[in-house]
Amino acid sequence: MAWRYIAQRTTTGDFLDWDVPFVPDSPPKRELNGPGQMQGTISPEYMRLMSKPDGLPVLSEWATSLYAEFEGRIRWGGIITNIAYQGQAMKITCAGFTAYPNGMPYFGSVIRSGAKIAQKYIVGGVNYSGRDKNNDGYVDGSSPKRKMPAKPKDKITTRWDAYDVVRHIWAHLQDYQRGKIGMTLDKHDSGYKLGAASGEDPWELLWWDSPDCGQTITDVMNLAQADFLERHYWDGSNEKILHHIDLGTRRLGRSRSDLRFASGENIIEIATPQGQGDFYANNVYVLGKGTGAKTARARVVVDDKRIRRARVITRKSTKNVKTLTEYGKRERARHSEQLTIPSIAIRHHPNAPLGSWALGDRILVQVDVPWVGELAIWHRVTAEEIDPAAGTAILTLTRADFYG
């Protein structure tokens, strides 16, 4: 069987063409914690694709969804985000539905997760505010002297689970007339609460700050150290394509000691292994909320017997040192000196049949690298380009220890 490409109007779900003559540059790319991508060409002009059934061309930027189907299964789905022309050819770029929040401003309700609400100094119906001006602990002018009663404790607003915020933002985007794209999300919680329990460092989403919906989702998922994965599939009647986001608990995937990825067996090519070069750092400083000398700051250091190399990042959304430190640990891992194999090309093999892994899985990659020798390094699968017709796949990898 061959690939089939299906065009659909994104906002209405109406099918526009069941067999678009699309020639991909490469297999569609599915991505962990990202929208993935599909690019290709249509050439020459096809009259049926030039019609305007609803006033828009069949293939339109930010109006048409394109799905890649193989053997009756939707392997990838996304929205056409860019169309260019080269002679008689139409060049098409698509991004997964999870690209939609990127660049979109948030204008929804205010969220203050874990914010402190100061309580009035009222005890027994009496307001004691300002009645101990000399700060001696007694009520001013009382005779005999009466101690000031304990002030009521400040209340703390409800702390939102990270996934509740993600669902809230998606609901906000899809509440608009032309924003209803049919995206559903898992219902479970991440277990990570935003904002400090003490109320000293609330997490806020304020529409007047014009926060970017996509960036906010990314930030929240990073705080929770969690994963998401977009997928598209036929409904039971094969008449409607459904869209869903799987949320990890909190990471997606598992350790796959049952699979084997090795040179000379199923690995047919590896991308050039990379160190860090100028990107390397073993000291990371994270600057948080505040200005001047009052700026919150955290430092993450590893003593690896190398010369000190420092890097500064900013995370102005928080002043919590523990949270800033977690950001620093993640950033330091990105800048470590550890050798990484960016990607591998594999063929269908009993050691790891195509599709036997899942995005997020941790796999042991065994390769022989010139000047280094034989390596066996655990990596995490963060993206995939599977071509079932050819029996091959390209896996994008990140060192598993990057995730802690």
Side-chain angles (χ1 to χ4, degrees), residues 49-357:
L49 298 180
M50 297 173 66
S51 66
K52 300 181 179 180
D54 54 2
L56 289 174
V58 169
L59 303 180
S60 300
E61 296 175 345
W62 299 104
T64 304
S65 300
L66 199 61
Y67 303 93
E69 182 194 59
F70 187 84
E71 295 184 343
R73 176 186 165 192
I74 303 296
R75 301 279 178 160
W76 191 87
I79 302 169
I80 295 178
T81 57
N82 185 269
I83 294 177
Y85 302 93
Q86 295 178 357
Q88 297 295 314
M90 173 189 282
K91 300 289 291 183
I92 294 176
T93 298
C94 306
F97 280 46
T98 48
Y100 176 58
N102 296 336
M104 295 289 285
Y106 176 80
F107 288 116
S109 56
V110 170
I111 294 179
R112 288 190 172 93
S113 179
K116 183 181 291 187
I117 304 175
Q119 300 299 296
K120 293 182 178 180
Y121 203 163
I122 297 177
V123 180
V126 179
N127 189 347
Y128 286 89
S129 179
R131 298 189 64 181
D132 183 18
K133 295 179 180 178
N134 59 359
N135 297 314
D136 64 355
Y138 291 89
V139 177
D140 294 342
S142 59
S143 183
K145 282 193 170 185
R146 287 186 293 114
K147 285 188 175 182
M148 291 283 288
K151 184 180 179 181
K153 291 183 178 180
D154 294 332
K155 292 183 179 180
I156 308 296
T157 59
T158 300
R159 296 173 68 205
W160 284 57
D161 183 89
Y163 286 170
D164 284 335
V165 171
V166 174
R167 285 186 284 263
H168 173 80
I169 292 174
W170 270 103
H172 165 65
L173 289 171
Q174 296 188 98
D175 192 44
Y176 289 89
Q177 178 64 29
R178 292 296 182 182
K180 302 180 191 300
I181 60 176
M183 182 61 73
T184 61
L185 292 86
D186 283 348
K187 300 297 184 182
H188 65 271
D189 288 343
S190 70
Y192 181 87
K193 300 293 185 180
L194 296 168
S198 64
E200 296 298 329
D201 185 30
W203 184 90
E204 298 180 323
L205 185 59
L206 312 174
W207 62 263
W208 52 84
D209 288 340
S210 300
D212 181 293
C213 289
Q215 187 59 54
T216 302
I217 289 174
T218 297
D219 289 345
V220 167
M221 294 295 289
N222 285 339
L223 282 173
Q225 298 182 24
D227 295 321
F228 71 83
L229 183 61
E230 169 185 341
R231 58 186 171 94
H232 308 270
Y233 56 98
W234 289 108
D235 67 356
S237 63
N238 275 27
E239 295 180 352
K240 184 178 181 181
I241 297 176
L242 305 178
H243 324 295
H244 188 77
I245 295 176
D246 295 314
L247 299 170
T249 53
R250 290 182 239 169
R251 293 292 186 195
L252 291 169
R254 58 193 176 94
S255 182
R256 301 303 302 270
S257 56
D258 57 321
L259 302 179
R260 179 177 169 85
F261 297 84
S263 294
E265 297 177 14
N266 56 347
I267 296 179
I268 55 180
E269 189 176 356
I270 69 170
T272 302
Q274 296 176 350
Q276 296 296 314
D278 292 340
F279 192 65
Y280 168 76
N282 50 15
N283 280 236
V284 174
Y285 296 83
V286 189
L287 304 182
K289 279 184 180 178
T291 58
K294 294 184 178 180
T295 300
R297 181 175 65 175
R299 178 178 177 231
V300 176
V301 178
V302 59
D303 184 0
D304 56 5
K305 300 180 181 180
R306 296 172 183 266
I307 190 172
R308 176 177 176 269
R309 293 281 296 172
R311 185 169 292 268
V312 176
I313 64 171
T314 58
R315 292 293 184 270
K316 290 297 185 179
S317 61
T318 181
K319 64 179 179 181
N320 184 275
V321 174
K322 181 179 179 181
T323 301
L324 294 175
T325 300
E326 288 302 316
Y327 276 125
K329 288 179 180 178
R330 183 179 178 86
E331 189 72 10
R332 190 207 59 76
R334 292 180 63 236
H335 294 272
S336 73
E337 83 287 357
Q338 299 172 358
L339 195 69
T340 298
I341 300 169
S343 64
I344 56 176
I346 64 171
R347 62 184 177 89
H348 181 70
H349 192 278
N351 288 350
L354 288 188
S356 59
W357 63 86

Side-chain angles (χ1 to χ4, degrees), residues 30-59:
R30 294 184 71 224
E31 188 178 9
L32 185 70
N33 300 323
Q37 189 180 63
M38 183 171 71
Q39 293 179 305
T41 305
I42 297 176
S43 178
E45 295 179 358
Y46 283 81
M47 293 303 297
R48 74 175 191 271
L49 298 180
M50 297 173 66
S51 66
K52 300 181 179 180
D54 54 2
L56 289 174
V58 169
L59 303 180

